[in-house]
Amino acid sequence: MNSAGHPEATARRGLELTPFRGLRYDPDRVGSLAAVTSPPYDVVVRPDGLLHLESADPYNIVRLILPQAATPEARNEQAARTLRRWTAEGVLTTDPDPGLYVYEQRDREGMLQRGIIGALRVSDPSEQVVLPHEDVMPHVVADRAALMRATRANLEPLLLTYRGDDATPATTALVERTAEQPPLLSTTTEDGFCHRLWSVTAPDTVARVRAELSRHQALIADGHHRWATYRTLRAEHPSPSPWDHGLVLLVDTARYPLRVRAIHRLLHGVPVHEAVAALAGHFRVRRLGTSLDESLETLAKAAGSGNAFLLAGDGAFHLVDLPDPGLLARTVPTDRPEAWRTLDATVLHATLLAHVWHVPDDSASHISYIHDTAATVEKAERDGGTAVLMHPVREEVVRELARQGVTMPRKSTSFGPKPASGLVLRPLDA
């Protein structure tokens, strides 16, 4: 069975994972490994989170993945200079031998995730080797592509999942056996996650893993824009080239199921009272209390029977549900499966943003996408905007739509835990 849950044709090329020489921080040159790591670039809440990470350590990876300068060109050149300087000074050093990397994350509540980091062959959508489930924003892809061109490096792995089975015994055994050995590095970040990393360089072991994975496909759990960036850059460079591959973390969710969380929206320049007033006659709106946890519980109950959202930003929470069926019929496209048409994210983008609030969903000046629930509410209250809090979609819905080749609205889901940025980089010139 493949990652989407149906038999794979044996003739089709599957996942082609390649060892590489990782670029890693020298622990003797930095204050601590935890202080130089960062969440993925799109999870960092700017500007507060960015400033916090920059002040954590002068070598924090955020200076590479989110460089700060007056223009995009200056930002990218600054990241390239920083990477060259850190490498020349020995802050970042290249591992002597190419390998695959086993990566483990564990939190205080017992959440455990293990997977393999490697350089994956970049494939076309028609091959159905790597399945996307969300649309991307072209300007974000262009931004990431410019950064990778300048640095000539994959600075952080994206997260892919596959469904292991009886055909992957060597891969499963490798991950579990390696996790019993002393790691290359071990650090605990301020979010409570312990991160450990190992290198696997034995040619026979690597070959068995590669052979097993070649019969599988994967779902993009996190990193749609980076995968689209890999495809853009591969198309720019004649093959064979280092751009034929991109840095990924592959997790077997048959053994290590991921968490699925929502990604929330922050509407800039739209006060809550205006957002609520515009809903009259289209949705039911009920004012709740001031408790975030209690309001999220109410949202979860409402989402069990239909589309539901929470609005915040004025000190209280407002439950939005029971959309007018006629409005949905007029605004939601009918050329997709019902599972797509009834998604909260679909109704939000096709109905609320486009027809009720008239907010463009592809402009950072109008809307922000934020993973942290409390941070979304706080920023809305501080800036006078409207936070739109979402209920997470079920993983099986995501997989089924991906299997059908149907992409969800952008930023519909947040799979996790996400790999920390800064533990291993892939230089394209190594």
Side-chain angles (χ1 to χ4, degrees), residues 240-292:
S241 84
W243 302 98
D244 290 342
H245 294 77
L247 186 63
V248 305
L249 165 64
L250 276 168
V251 173
D252 174 6
T253 51
R255 292 185 65 82
Y256 299 106
L258 270 63
R259 293 170 174 163
V260 186
R261 292 175 173 165
I263 302 176
H264 309 297
R265 277 66 170 160
L266 174 61
L267 311 185
H268 303 294
V270 181
V272 175
H273 71 272
E274 291 184 8
V276 169
L279 294 170
H282 301 308
F283 286 75
R284 180 175 68 174
V285 182
R286 287 179 286 164
R287 183 184 178 92
L288 306 179
T290 60
S291 168
L292 174 58

Side-chain angles (χ1 to χ4, degrees), residues 131 133-134 158-161 218-224 253 258 413-416 418:
L131 303 176
H133 70 266
E134 287 185 358
L158 53 87
L159 175 61
L160 304 181
T161 71
L219 175 75
I220 301 177
D222 184 70
H224 284 81
T253 51
L258 270 63
T413 57
S414 175
F415 284 90
K418 305 177 191 303

